[in-house]
DNA sequence: GCATTTGTGCGAACAGAATCGCATAGATTT
DNA sequence: AAATCTATGCGATTCTGTTCGCACAAATGC
């Protein structure tokens, strides 16, 4: 029988039975691993952050990490989840349901972008994780993306209720289009083809474009 | 002095001076490498296609490959370029400038999709290549993407001339939005979260969405 | 003809992620 | 207390992309 599944280590490092000394030790190890990983990802970037280095900083052998995590990319996913949480909190703090929909969307991308700008490396690697052979990893990143798309859809839905939007529009499809447009811009940015400002502008452009629509509109100015 | 830069091996394997026996030999090797790579990518997928296996099938040692190619991903880029060329040819064969713009766009994505459907693996890995540490690789994939975006922009531009489109719209931005929307759908598809049909539908939906626009339109039905 | 340069090939070696078998300490059962 | 089970840890090993130093052969210059 398999002893234990290093399925996912909880973000908080919380433990199930605080009585069991083994589990407690494990939880502490997980916490140290996460700290080390975050720090090293930040300092050297994902690729340069060796698993051995992470292990060393966490005070253990490299192979031991695999007791807690299935792959290096899993550590990345955990970091991404935290980052997303942070971006959402930042957005929610300044968001008001009464603001015009287009503006709310723009604000959201700003919140997200401000955080990602501090972690250009993770932005790229997040996309790479999407192509990871182990579907458990790629699926989790895609799930994170879906959550963001869901939030965007929620905003759009609110806009529809307020009459900001054409009621016939597919809110989810629109959210996806917005999200993927942003990703596209960020890939260019993370590859140095776009400055941070240009990236932001391009994202804004995508939002404007979607809100205007391509088809010939009768209301001109 | 550096002996020679394995910059890019020409798609056709053409040689500069057919007199030089060394260059000729090299060209032949390159051709064999490309054949082997294509076959093995197709048979086992990119990740499972070992460089040693490719080299063996090409009849040489693994390290020799690096005389002709800078990395495994470069082999991928070459394959992608060919695939793109093929998709374009297929599209151009059936395309007519008189068709409605929206329909032309849809047709293009169909052509492209039909080809990618036969290479789901490459579809994913192309995205991964976008995050490759060596910017020479990622830049080349992004350049391929930009070419596609350019074609889309060209179609849209034609549509604008015909009066199919709102003349105020940013054609390039629209092309980018379309392209990235398609990519997003394909990631889901390649990860098994979307059936091939659903992927196609989602792409079509993105096109429709962009052509309709999100903002409240006065012309309802 | 001889030295030099250049394009190509090879086997050994390296680094990094991931796996394996064994060890051990804490918990559980009898 | 003994036996067993379980969560954790570790060093050795495997697999893979890539680099290195050397060898060789075809071209070029003198």
């Amino acid at each position: 029988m398999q002893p234990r599944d290093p399925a996912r280590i909880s973000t908080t490092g919380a433990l199930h039975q605080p009585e069991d000394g083994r589990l407690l030790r494990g939880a502490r190890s997980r916490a140290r691993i996460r700290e080390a990983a975050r720090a090293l990802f930040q300092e050297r970037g994902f690729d340069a952050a060796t698993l051995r280095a992470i292990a060393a900083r966490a005070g253990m052998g490299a192979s031991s990490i695999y007791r807690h995590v299935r792959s290096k990319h899993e550590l990345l996913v955990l970091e991404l989840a935290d980052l997303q949480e942070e971006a959402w909190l930042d957005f929610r703090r300044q968001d008001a349901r009464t603001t015009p929909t287009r503006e709310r969307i723009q604000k959201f991308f700003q919140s997200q972008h401000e955080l990602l700008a501090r972690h250009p490396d993770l932005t790229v690697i997040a996309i790479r994780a999407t192509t990871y052979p182990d579907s458990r990893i790629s699926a989790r990143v895609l799930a994170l993306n879906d959550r963001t798309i869901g939030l965007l859809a929620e905003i759009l839905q609110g806009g529809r209720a307020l009459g900001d939007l054409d009621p016939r529009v597919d809110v989810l499809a629109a959210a996806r289009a917005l999200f993927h447009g942003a990703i596209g811009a960020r890939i260019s940015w993370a590859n140095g083809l776009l400055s941070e400002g240009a990236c932001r502008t391009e994202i804004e452009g995508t939002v404007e474009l979607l809100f205007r629509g391509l088809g010939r509109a009768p209301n001109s100015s």
Side-chain angles (χ1 to χ4, degrees), chain A:
Chain A
M1 310 294 161
Q2 293 294 60
R4 176 132 126 96
D5 190 12
R8 71 218 62 168
I9 65 187
S10 69
T11 304
T12 57
L15 33 93
H16 293 163
Q17 295 98 341
E19 318 90 12
D20 194 330
R22 297 170 304 176
L23 297 177
L24 201 133
R25 188 168 169 221
R28 283 206 238 277
S29 291
R30 280 189 277 280
R32 284 198 326 268
I33 290 172
R34 289 223 45 197
E35 272 178 60
R38 175 171 26 206
L40 283 171
F41 287 168
Q42 176 78 27
E43 287 173 25
R44 315 186 188 171
F46 182 82
D47 286 322
T50 302
L51 214 53
R52 288 171 175 82
I54 297 175
R57 186 172 297 202
M60 58 200 308
S63 60
S64 302
I65 290 194
Y66 288 89
R67 286 278 173 223
H68 306 282
V69 160
R70 256 193 288 253
S71 70
K72 189 183 175 187
H73 276 79
E74 191 162 307
L75 285 171
L76 173 80
V77 174
L78 296 169
E79 235 41 62
L80 287 176
D82 277 6
L83 226 56
Q84 188 180 75
E85 212 64 43
E86 209 180 320
W88 285 30
L89 267 152
D90 180 64
F91 168 68
R92 285 240 164 80
R93 203 173 300 126
Q94 62 176 194
D95 180 48
R97 226 170 300 265
T98 54
T99 336
T101 310
R102 187 187 318 211
E103 206 174 311
R104 283 180 80 194
I105 298 276
Q106 296 281 22
K107 284 273 183 185
F108 171 76
F109 280 120
Q110 275 169 32
S111 283
Q112 199 180 38
H113 189 83
E114 205 159 324
L115 235 107
L116 292 180
R118 263 183 277 147
H119 309 265
D121 186 62
L122 290 193
T123 306
V124 196
I125 311 292
I127 294 155
R128 189 192 296 172
T130 265
T131 74
Y132 196 71
D134 179 358
S135 68
R136 282 168 301 203
I137 291 295
S138 48
R140 264 206 264 167
V141 181
L142 292 175
L144 285 180
N145 288 355
D146 272 345
R147 262 188 85 203
T148 300
I149 291 172
L151 177 58
L152 285 169
E154 196 187 305
I155 298 176
L156 290 175
Q157 188 72 32
R160 190 151 83 171
L162 259 72
D164 274 5
L165 263 59
D166 184 335
R168 290 168 307 172
V169 86
D170 180 347
V171 163
L172 199 59
R176 270 197 289 256
L178 285 169
F179 180 78
H180 290 134
I183 292 246
R186 290 208 188 102
I187 293 182
S188 297
W189 160 66
N191 271 298
L193 302 180
L194 238 51
S195 74
E196 196 192 313
C199 175
R200 199 190 305 250
T201 310
E202 190 167 315
I203 293 177
E204 283 171 12
T206 305
V207 177
E208 295 303 322
L209 182 77
L210 258 157
F211 269 87
R212 180 176 305 165
L214 238 62
R216 180 156 214 112
N219 57 329
S220 62
S221 85

